[in-house]
C-alpha cells in the first residue's frame, strides 16, 4: 500500500504569511484529500480534489494536483495563529477499495 | 453537529491485559476505519468496514488484535494480550460515498 509523504515535516511562519505544504504519492488515485489535526484531537477534513481536477479553492485554502508528477500542494493564505496544527494528505487509490492512506504530516506553527 | 464518539479517551493498562476500544460512527455512515497513530509510524490503517462487513484488516496483527461491528452503531477494537509496543493513539473514522471521513478524538492507550 502506498503512503503520501508531506514536505516539509515542519514549517514555522509569521502570522499573515502564506504557508505551502507539499505531498507526493506513488500510485494512481481517485482523489486526494487534505486533513488537519490539532494537538490531542482527531483529523478534520479540509478539502478534496479529484484526479481530473488541477486546482481547488476553499476560503483561504488552495490545493493543486499534478497527477503526472504525483504531487499536490496545500496553500494557506494570510495565515493565523489558529492555523497552527498538523496537516496531512490522504490518497484514495484507484483500486476501488476506498481505503485512505495518510502521509506523515507537516507540522505548521504560525507565530502571532 | 454529528460526530464520531470514541471511548475511553485514555486507557492505561498493564502488559498482558485485554483492551477494548469502542466507536460510535455517525448515523448514516456506512464505512468505518480504525487507524493507529504513533510518532514513528504516523497514521496506520488497521481495519476497514463497509456496511458492517470487514473489507481490509491486513494492517492489523491478527494474533492479538480483533475488530468487529456488532451493529451499525458500534465498532470495537480489541487487543488481547496487550503489549507495550501497542501504546499509541487509536482513531476511529466513519464516512460514506457522499461524505469524507469524520474522525473521533481517539483513544490514547498506554501499556506498561
Amino acid at each position: 500500500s502506498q503512503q503520501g509523504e508531506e514536505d516539509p515535516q515542519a514549517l514555522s511562519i509569521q502570522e499573515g504569511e502564506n504557508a505551502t505544504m507539499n505531498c507526493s504519492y506513488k500510485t494512481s488515485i481517485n482523489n486526494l484529500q487534505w486533513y488537519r489535526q490539532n494537538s490531542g484531537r482527531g483529523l478534520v477534513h479540509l478539502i478534496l480534489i479529484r484526479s481530473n481536477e488541477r486546482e481547488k479553492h476553499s476560503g483561504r485554502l488552495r490545493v493543486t494536483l499534478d497527477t503526472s508528477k504525483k504531487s499536490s500542494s496545500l496553500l494557506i493564505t494570510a495565515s493565523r495563529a489558529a492555523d497552527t496544527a498538523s496537516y496531512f494528505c490522504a490518497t484514495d487509490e484507484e483500486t476501488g477499495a476506498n481505503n485512505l492512506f495518510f502521509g506523515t504530516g507537516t507540522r505548521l506553527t504560525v507565530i502571532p | 453537529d454529528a460526530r464520531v464518539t470514541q471511548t475511553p479517551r485514555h486507557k492505561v493498562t498493564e502488559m498482558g491485559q485485554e483492551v477494548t476500544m469502542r466507536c460510535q460512527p455517525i448515523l448514516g455512515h456506512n464505512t468505518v476505519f480504525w487507524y493507529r497513530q504513533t510518532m514513528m509510524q504516523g497514521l496506520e490503517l488497521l481495519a476497514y468496514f463497509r456496511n458492517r462487513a470487514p473489507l481490509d484488516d491486513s494492517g492489523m496483527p491478527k494474533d492479538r488484535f480483533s475488530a468487529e461491528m456488532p451493529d451499525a452503531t458500534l465498532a470495537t477494537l480489541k487487543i488481547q494480550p496487550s503489549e507495550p509496543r501497542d501504546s499509541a493513539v487509536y482513531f476511529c473514522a466513519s464516512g460514506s460515498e457522499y461524505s469524507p471521513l469524520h474522525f473521533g478524538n481517539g483513544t490514547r492507550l498506554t501499556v506498561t
Side-chain angles (χ1 to χ4, degrees):
Chain A
S1 63
Q2 73 155 17
Q3 185 177 45
E5 284 190 19
E6 284 90 344
D7 168 52
Q9 288 191 335
L11 180 61
S12 185
I13 60 173
Q14 295 287 337
E15 201 165 32
E17 293 180 340
N18 296 342
T20 300
M21 290 160 270
N22 303 297
C23 168
S24 59
Y25 57 91
K26 296 188 178 76
T27 67
S28 297
I29 60 172
N30 290 319
N31 63 66
L32 186 143
Q33 304 177 36
W34 284 90
Y35 286 77
R36 165 198 168 120
Q37 183 180 32
N38 285 71
S39 182
R41 308 298 293 267
L43 281 73
V44 176
H45 180 262
L46 294 176
I47 195 166
L48 179 153
I49 186 165
R50 301 192 187 285
S51 60
N52 61 353
E53 297 177 306
R54 292 296 166 258
E55 188 170 312
K56 201 159 184 180
H57 297 254
S58 176
R60 292 184 297 112
L61 305 180
R62 172 175 168 254
V63 170
T64 61
L65 179 64
D66 187 336
T67 52
S68 66
K69 295 181 179 177
K70 293 187 169 52
S71 68
S72 174
S73 68
L74 171 67
L75 169 68
I76 303 174
T77 60
S79 64
R80 305 167 182 167
D83 295 329
T84 294
S86 291
Y87 292 82
F88 295 85
C89 68
T91 51
D92 180 358
E93 292 181 348
E94 215 176 45
T95 59
N98 292 128
N99 293 355
L100 268 190
F101 295 96
F102 285 84
T104 49
T106 292
R107 175 71 192 166
L108 173 66
T109 302
V110 181
I111 302 166
Chain B
D1 201 19
R3 60 178 69 182
V4 174
T5 304
Q6 287 187 249
T7 56
R9 285 281 279 138
H10 302 274
K11 176 73 177 178
V12 180
T13 192
E14 291 184 347
M15 187 171 86
Q17 296 297 306
E18 177 178 303
V19 175
T20 298
M21 291 168 271
R22 294 179 173 80
C23 168
Q24 181 176 0
I26 291 174
L27 191 64
H29 283 183
N30 67 336
T31 59
V32 172
F33 294 76
W34 283 103
Y35 287 91
R36 175 170 64 185
Q37 187 176 39
T38 61
M39 288 293 292
M40 294 299 294
Q41 300 294 330
L43 271 162
E44 300 174 275
L45 177 65
L46 296 176
Y48 163 47
F49 293 80
R50 182 185 291 163
N51 297 323
R52 293 177 55 202
L55 288 191
D56 185 355
D57 60 1
S58 58
M60 207 164 63
K62 301 288 189 309
D63 56 337
R64 298 184 300 108
F65 284 60
S66 62
E68 296 179 348
M69 278 202 76
D71 60 62
T73 65
L74 177 65
T76 62
L77 180 66
K78 289 186 182 179
I79 308 174
Q80 169 63 21
S82 57
E83 298 180 0
R85 61 180 167 151
D86 301 329
S87 297
V89 182
Y90 291 80
F91 286 103
C92 172
S94 71
S96 72
E97 60 180 307
Y98 306 109
S99 167
L101 285 188
H102 287 71
F103 279 74
N105 282 326
T107 293
R108 181 174 294 277
L109 173 65
T110 303
V111 183
T112 60

